[in-house]
Amino acid sequence: MDDKASNRLRVQPEDTFLRDATNRAWLLRGVNLSGSSKFPRYPVPVPSHVRGDAFLKARSSSSSSSSDSCISSSSSPPPHLALAATTPPSQKGRLEKEENENGKVNANELNEERKQQQQPQQNSTKSIISFKGRPFELDEADEHLARLRHWGFRMIRWVVTWEAIEHQGPGIYDERFLDYTVQALLKAKEYGFKVMIDFHQDVWSRFSGGSGAPLWTFYAAGLDPHHFTATGAAAVHNMLSESDRLPRMVWLTNYYKLACATMFTLFYAGSLLAPQCTFDNGVNIQEYLQSHFLGAIRALVNKIHACQDEAGQPLLEDDVVLGYDSWNEPSCGWIGLERLDVLPEQHDMRQGDMPTPLQSLMLGEGMVVQNIATYRLELVGPVKSGSRTINPSAQVSARNPAAATASSSSLTVKAWLSPELRSEYDLEYGIRRDPGFPKAGTCLWAQHGVWSVQDRKILQQDYFARRPSPSREQIQWVPDHWLPFAKRVIEVVRLIHPTAILFLEPPVYVPPPDLVSKTQSKGSGESSDSILTTNMVYTPHHYDDLVLLTKRYLGWVNIDLLGLSRGRHKSLLGSVVLGKKATETLFGNQIGEIQKECYERLGKRPVLIGETGLHFDVGLDKSLQSGNITNDPFKKGRAPRSLLFAPSKQFQRAFDNILDGLDRTLSHYTLWNYTIENDPLYGDGWNGENLSLFSLDAQVASRTIETEAKAEGKGMGSHKLDYGGRAIEQFCRPYPVATVGQPTKMVFDRHNRSFKLWTRSTDEDQSSIHTASSGGVATEIYLPLFHFHGPEDCTVETSDGSWRWSAEQQILFWIYGEDQTVEDHWIEIRRTRR
């Protein structure tokens, strides 16, 4: 058996675990690496609280439209942003390629021209950025990977954005970032990690308040990110003024607003709903966007595939990179909406301004819009707080007086690019629109007959819900739009990496598609969905959303949002869960329901919770929560311990509910997340989130405390790799890494330092194990030194067999007894010395 085959983990039919070469059942436990991969590393890091040119370069006063960027075009950026500043755009742009005699672009010539212009020119509108160094610099890799391995993780969900690969323009790939990623993955190999590549996005892009797609995709759609804040097209922390507070978790509301909703609608259903939007002689914007994203995916998969030894054997495929996900938290945009003049019920993540789709369209046209509902987050979820009027032009004037003065007083501020600017960006990025493309400066959807700008009213209420005449059939986003793209992703991957696992990630709170019934109805022949169901792991996300949104845990009340999304509750009020026991078991029960849905609709297979976790500032005073801290506590001395090490009692109880629920359901999971740059002021550096298991400031503080303790003749007694860890006593927990047969139950009591595991093996399991090698193959159990210290401090009891404990590896090896008729086994470890 070659090394690649022996190290590969397999997905087998009717099995909820992954299997290795000796047929042991692997339980994948790991972490997302990293939250900082959502924003660039160079020339300066640009987390979501950084304003100014480092995020989005202000346009000069000579440009044809003003900007609501918080730094005016005439002002200089702060010194720490100076590296990011470049000269403003001109009207010239780069030369266009002449069309050939058939009127089509010569693709080879255009691609060659793009390669030659990867570096921005003197008059470029492009920012010089790079994601090289995400998730860490290579010279820091050993420390962080060793720490994650020390904490028992074996799986990494490796975060990569489309922007990281193709930020410079359509078809131009950042080869330095791709080369760096391969080198970083080779470091992960040294520590024995398995990796799932996560193509990550949140609300489409950094420039609409999230992460994912490059800036030029907005320009392709005719949208102007400089005006997203003023027109309410997106709530973007980076575009707020320095005096504005940073509202927590408001990024989720962008899924329903003009910028993100438009981009996802075009991406998944542009051919159907925006047929006028075509490029390069007939390429619809849906195919234009999808093909470029798939091209970026292909570039990364090719680079990983090309990493081979001298004999031509892959160094990363299967051994390290198990597979790829289908796309993080995909959204339907406005697809499926029956009405545009009301706030849809499914838009339940409400905070701040919550315009209806029609109001979003009107704001995008620069209209003054009244009665826009506003919401605030309470302990029972979003509560309507009132309404207000938004005037986009006034918003720009208030945020950027210099830019407003420089522009014409009669100029209407819109979310749509003016004709001059769109032409400029088209030249800059090589975007070639067909003559029939909707005209610039006016709403794309109005030009498709959705609504009337002049009359300010809807013309087709169910435009996004039904196919055009004559069919008028209901549009089904999941089977007709999301699923076909997921197929395209894995088709691209498996043309290069045939054994790659598809980590199928569904839309948030959407049940998996029923591919089992569909296959059965087609008989025994191979289904067109077989590429999805073969070698696939179901990878949904699940959080305790009420605690995540409010950063509070009361212990006696919660909300069953999963049940609400599945129709078990008729209203938000009806989904309220009361009682200590009910709230403690809610999360685990929901995970069990997610697993059951998968087995019924996708077949019995592994279910890996791709994201779960909790803000580490849950339960703290609001003034100490990330994004709300107005004064740097380090300037006044040592930061409060609660900001660095010891989470609140509220956090501990809520996090225990999550982790105990995952154990109770024997779940595979990757926690969100490990961010190297996490700090007390801004958390993970993205929209006020603070979920990182590691904090650099906590690491520095730990070393200081250790030095002080040694000076007093004491010691912390902690492992050096634990420095910087937060809530280690909770997330660093024992589990069966690889089991002979399969685990059936496990219970970890962190307070009493005990762990019990139950397993089951068949005769076939036993015989294959005992013939695999002369010494037999063992079940491997991770036992963290943090809790158990080593065999000298513990007692071990087993139903049968023998065991060996390697304290250095933090692994207990357990070999079952010789009696192969015994199918059920158990082992219990208890720490006896404190």
Side-chain angles (χ1 to χ4, degrees), residues 70-203:
C70 61
I71 293 182
S72 69
S73 57
S74 59
S75 62
S76 300
H80 71 289
L81 302 182
L83 283 173
T86 57
T87 55
S90 75
Q91 294 294 326
K92 295 182 179 180
R94 69 177 181 84
L95 294 176
E96 291 184 276
K97 275 289 180 184
E98 293 294 332
E99 295 185 354
N100 64 19
E101 56 185 281
N102 295 321
K104 296 183 178 180
V105 177
N106 186 312
N108 291 333
E109 291 183 7
L110 184 58
N111 187 52
E112 184 62 30
E113 179 186 4
R114 286 170 174 166
K115 286 182 178 179
Q116 293 173 1
Q117 299 197 24
Q118 288 195 29
Q119 295 300 320
Q121 303 302 309
Q122 181 71 10
N123 60 354
S124 175
T125 65
K126 302 175 184 177
S127 295
I128 305 173
I129 64 170
S130 175
F131 286 73
K132 182 176 178 286
R134 296 299 187 204
F136 43 60
E137 298 291 351
L138 290 177
D139 59 1
E140 301 172 347
D142 289 300
E143 175 194 343
H144 297 294
L145 292 171
R147 178 176 294 113
L148 292 174
R149 182 67 188 239
H150 171 72
W151 286 342
F153 297 127
R154 297 293 186 272
M155 181 74 175
I156 294 176
R157 186 170 181 253
W158 197 280
V159 176
V160 178
T161 64
W162 179 4
E163 183 188 12
I165 300 172
E166 201 177 7
H167 56 83
Q168 201 59 45
I172 302 174
Y173 305 133
D174 190 333
E175 296 293 336
R176 291 183 178 180
F177 170 75
L178 295 173
D179 290 337
Y180 154 80
T181 300
V182 167
Q183 294 301 312
L185 289 169
L186 286 171
K187 293 298 295 185
K189 179 177 182 175
E190 294 178 20
Y191 291 86
F193 283 105
K194 304 298 182 184
V195 170
M196 170 212 332
I197 301 294
D198 161 42
F199 301 117
H200 204 88
Q201 77 79 35
D202 305 276
V203 294

Side-chain angles (χ1 to χ4, degrees), residues 12 22-23 740-741 761-771 820 823:
Q12 298 187 156
T22 58
N23 211 40
V740 175
S761 62
T762 64
D763 291 345
E764 183 180 352
D765 292 323
Q766 290 279 44
S767 61
S768 64
I769 292 301
H770 284 290
T771 57
Q820 297 185 19
E823 294 186 350

Side-chain angles (χ1 to χ4, degrees), residues 386-594:
S387 63
R388 78 182 189 105
T389 298
I390 296 180
N391 180 347
S393 296
Q395 294 282 320
V396 166
S397 299
R399 294 180 183 281
N400 194 350
T405 303
S407 64
S408 171
S409 60
S410 62
L411 186 66
T412 300
V413 173
K414 297 185 178 184
W416 303 97
L417 289 168
S418 67
E420 296 82 3
L421 282 172
R422 196 174 82 173
S423 295
E424 180 177 325
Y425 289 129
D426 285 357
L427 288 171
E428 184 72 36
Y429 287 96
I431 299 169
R432 302 176 63 93
R433 303 175 199 274
D434 287 343
F437 199 100
K439 65 180 181 180
T442 302
C443 176
L444 176 156
W445 299 117
Q447 295 180 72
H448 278 88
V450 178
W451 69 295
S452 169
V453 175
Q454 182 177 356
D455 299 328
R456 299 166 64 106
K457 71 176 185 180
I458 299 167
L459 299 179
Q460 297 186 60
Q461 186 74 261
D462 59 355
Y463 182 86
F464 297 103
R466 297 189 178 277
R467 295 178 179 274
S469 298
S471 76
R472 301 296 294 155
E473 293 178 353
Q474 189 83 21
I475 297 175
Q476 303 291 332
W477 176 61
V478 168
D480 296 337
H481 300 279
W482 169 66
L483 214 53
F485 179 71
K487 288 182 187 178
R488 293 190 72 180
V489 171
I490 197 58
E491 284 170 352
V492 164
V493 168
R494 286 185 182 157
L495 282 174
I496 305 163
H497 181 178
T499 53
I501 295 172
L502 168 63
F503 291 88
L504 183 66
E505 183 174 332
V508 176
Y509 280 121
V510 174
D514 190 356
L515 300 185
V516 170
S517 298
K518 188 175 178 181
T519 301
Q520 291 173 346
S521 66
K522 291 189 177 184
S524 59
E526 184 172 328
S527 167
S528 60
D529 296 320
S530 61
I531 192 170
L532 294 172
T533 56
T534 302
N535 202 21
M536 182 263 279
V537 172
Y538 183 52
T539 318
H541 296 175
H542 195 61
Y543 289 90
D544 186 330
D545 285 310
L546 184 63
V547 181
L548 192 75
L549 291 170
T550 64
K551 294 192 177 183
R552 289 288 181 271
Y553 176 74
L554 297 181
W556 54 269
V557 62
N558 209 318
I559 293 178
D560 181 15
L561 287 179
L562 182 71
L564 184 65
S565 70
R566 300 303 191 264
R568 286 201 309 276
H569 313 297
K570 294 182 179 180
S571 66
L572 186 64
L573 184 60
S575 67
V576 173
V577 175
L578 297 173
K580 183 174 181 292
K581 184 67 174 179
T583 56
E584 286 177 347
T585 58
L586 176 63
F587 189 88
N589 292 341
Q590 291 173 330
I591 295 297
E593 182 179 351
I594 289 170

